[in-house]
Structure formats: structure tokens, C-alpha cells
Amino acid sequence: MLSQFFRLEGAYLVLAGIILLITLYVSTRPFMSKGAPKKALFWVGLVLILFIGGHYWVTSSRIAEVKAAFEQGKPILCESRAIRTAAQSIEIRKGIADWHLEGDNFVSPQYVRPFSAARCIVKKSLKAF
């Protein structure tokens, strides 16, 4: 679970570190009050923790939903960055094109690269109203 967190949120953790360094630099300037660095780092850090934690929770919930729907045979839409001129997504369904799950990745022998479940959603059917 910890490795999944670092894999999904690694870039955001690096950005958060940069933001904290900028906060430290700005809050230690001569025109800032004496307790500014401690207060600024606390509040900015708290906001970053909430945002990154919220993003991880939403992403991991979506991964679980996508994996469960795939096992039930429902269609899954995944982002495809390989083809920019045509469709931006690919539909994945269990039993078609030999798709299967390897960890959090959808893999098929007909495709060169796997598709991460973190970049997929369950395809919802459109109902007439």
C-alpha cells in the first residue's frame, strides 16, 4: 500500500516539497514577523497533506471500482496517450482481446504497453430520459 501511494503521488510529493521550500524562503524574509516560518509551514503543510491525501483516496477508490467492474465483465474506458490523432480512450472488457489484470494494470498481448487502472473509469451506459 505504501509503494502504491508513492507510485501514485510521487510527483505531487516532489511538488509539495518545492512549495514548502518556497514557503520557508518567503516566510524567513526580513519583512515577515518572527513566528511566520512556523505558522506558514504548518498551514501550507496541512493544506498540502489534505490535498495529496484526498487525491490518493479518490484515486485508490477509483482503482478498486474499476478492478471490481472489470471482474464483473463491465466495459472500462482507459486513457490512451499513444494515439493523439484519433480516439483518446480505449475500451477494455474482460474476455475480449485477452485483457487481464496484472496488479493494477490492464494487459493484453495485442497491445505493446499496459494501461494503469488509475487512468481508467467504468463506462456508464446512457439511459434515455
Side-chain angles (χ1 to χ4, degrees):
M1 182 157 146
L2 192 59
S3 66
Q4 181 188 32
F5 175 78
F6 285 117
R7 184 177 50 82
L8 293 174
E9 305 300 324
Y12 298 118
L13 292 171
V14 170
L15 288 174
I18 292 168
I19 290 170
L20 287 172
L21 287 173
I22 292 169
T23 302
L24 181 64
Y25 176 77
V26 170
S27 63
T28 56
R29 299 298 90 204
F31 56 84
M32 299 297 287
S33 66
K34 191 171 187 157
K38 186 184 280 188
K39 291 176 188 174
L41 288 174
F42 172 78
W43 288 109
V44 171
L46 181 65
V47 168
L48 291 170
I49 288 169
L50 291 174
F51 284 168
I52 293 172
H55 183 265
Y56 176 71
W57 179 75
V58 168
T59 303
S60 59
S61 298
R62 187 176 62 246
I63 290 172
E65 177 188 0
V66 165
K67 288 170 76 172
F70 177 76
E71 293 300 332
Q72 296 170 4
K74 295 180 181 176
I76 307 297
L77 290 177
C78 289
E79 176 185 29
S80 177
R81 296 181 184 170
I83 305 170
R84 289 292 187 190
T85 57
Q88 295 276 324
S89 62
I90 183 170
E91 185 173 315
I92 294 173
R93 192 179 298 223
K94 190 173 187 173
I96 298 176
D98 197 27
W99 285 106
H100 60 280
L101 274 168
E102 287 183 3
D104 288 339
N105 292 321
F106 292 105
V107 179
S108 172
Q110 298 179 15
Y111 288 85
V112 176
R113 66 180 195 88
F115 292 88
S116 173
R119 304 290 170 244
C120 300
I121 58 170
V122 179
K123 184 177 180 183
K124 306 289 184 191
S125 61
L126 297 175
K127 297 179 182 178
F129 47 96

